[in-house]
Amino acid sequence: RPKSRTAARAAKGMNGSLKVRALEVRVAPDTEDTFDDTFWESLDGVVNALDNVQARMYVDSRCVWFAKPLLESGTLGTKANSQVVLPHKTQSYADSQDPPEESIPLCTLKHFPNAIEHTIEWSRDLFEQLFVEGPREVNAFLADPAALVAKAKSEGSGTSQLARLGAVKRALEQRS
C-alpha cells in the first residue's frame, strides 16, 4: 500500500474528525495543474513524507509562499528526518541542508521515476531479479527444497515470502 494512504488511515484512526487527503501524485512544478493556487490556499497545514530532496524543496517553497505550516518528514535507508516549519517563526526546510542522496529511494523507483538514472536503476533491479536471484532461488530449491522453504518463511513479510515461492514455482512449471 502507498505510504500516503497508510498514514492517512492511521491519522484518521487517531482523530476521526481530522480532514486528511492522501495523494499519490508527484509534486513538482510540472504538476501545478493538480497543485495549483486553489489547492495550496485550501490547506490548513501540510504533512509530507516525500522520497526525494527535490520534492521536499518544492513543497517547502509552496508552504513558505502560501504561509502554511509544514511537518516535513522522510527516510532514506536507515536515516530519518522530521522538521516542524511554522510560517514566520521557524526556519524553512530549504534553510537547512540535507546531506546529498547517495541512492535512489525505492518509492521513487516504483511510483515516480522521473530521471534517466531512475530508469537505469529500475532496469538493473529487474535484471537482477529475473536473471540472477530467480535462477539462484530455483537452483537452491532443486538442491534442497525444505531448506529453501524454511529460509523463505524466516525472511521478509508474508507477501514477499509468497511472491518468492510463487516465482520458484512458476519457473519450475515453465521448465516442464
Side-chain angles (χ1 to χ4, degrees):
R1 288 202 175 122
K3 63 184 173 184
S4 61
R5 279 196 255 158
T6 302
R9 190 172 42 257
K12 290 286 282 183
M14 289 182 245
N15 181 349
S17 63
L18 184 66
K19 293 179 185 170
V20 62
R21 207 171 13 162
L23 300 173
E24 297 174 50
V25 179
R26 188 168 70 90
V27 290
D30 63 328
T31 57
E32 287 186 353
D33 56 322
T34 300
F35 302 108
D36 57 9
D37 289 358
T38 304
F39 170 83
W40 293 104
E41 289 166 352
S42 73
L43 302 175
D44 293 322
V46 176
V47 177
N48 70 18
L50 298 167
D51 60 8
N52 66 75
V53 172
Q54 188 177 13
R56 290 175 184 158
M57 296 292 279
Y58 174 76
V59 169
D60 177 70
S61 72
R62 303 287 55 199
C63 287
V64 168
W65 183 261
F66 289 95
K68 300 297 178 181
L70 168 65
L71 173 57
E72 183 358 82
S73 64
T75 62
L76 182 58
T78 59
K79 295 185 236 173
N81 165 62
S82 66
Q83 179 180 357
V84 175
V85 179
L86 300 173
H88 314 294
K89 296 197 184 300
T90 64
Q91 70 177 6
S92 72
Y93 176 79
D95 292 335
S96 61
Q97 280 298 109
D98 257 6
E101 294 179 348
E102 296 173 13
S103 64
I104 302 167
L106 184 59
C107 37
T108 296
L109 291 177
K110 291 181 100 178
H111 300 293
F112 301 112
N114 57 62
I116 191 67
E117 294 84 7
H118 301 159
T119 306
I120 293 168
E121 186 63 30
W122 176 84
S123 61
R124 283 182 180 162
D125 184 54
L126 183 60
F127 182 90
E128 180 80 13
Q129 289 173 20
L130 294 175
F131 299 108
V132 177
E133 292 174 19
R136 184 183 308 134
E137 296 274 294
V138 170
N139 288 337
F141 179 83
L142 292 172
D144 189 349
L148 180 80
V149 170
K151 183 178 178 189
K153 286 181 178 179
S154 69
E155 296 176 351
S157 67
T159 303
S160 66
Q161 294 166 354
L162 288 175
R164 185 176 177 183
L165 294 173
V168 170
K169 180 182 177 191
R170 283 189 300 282
L172 292 171
E173 288 171 347
Q174 289 174 355
R175 273 182 47 167
S176 307

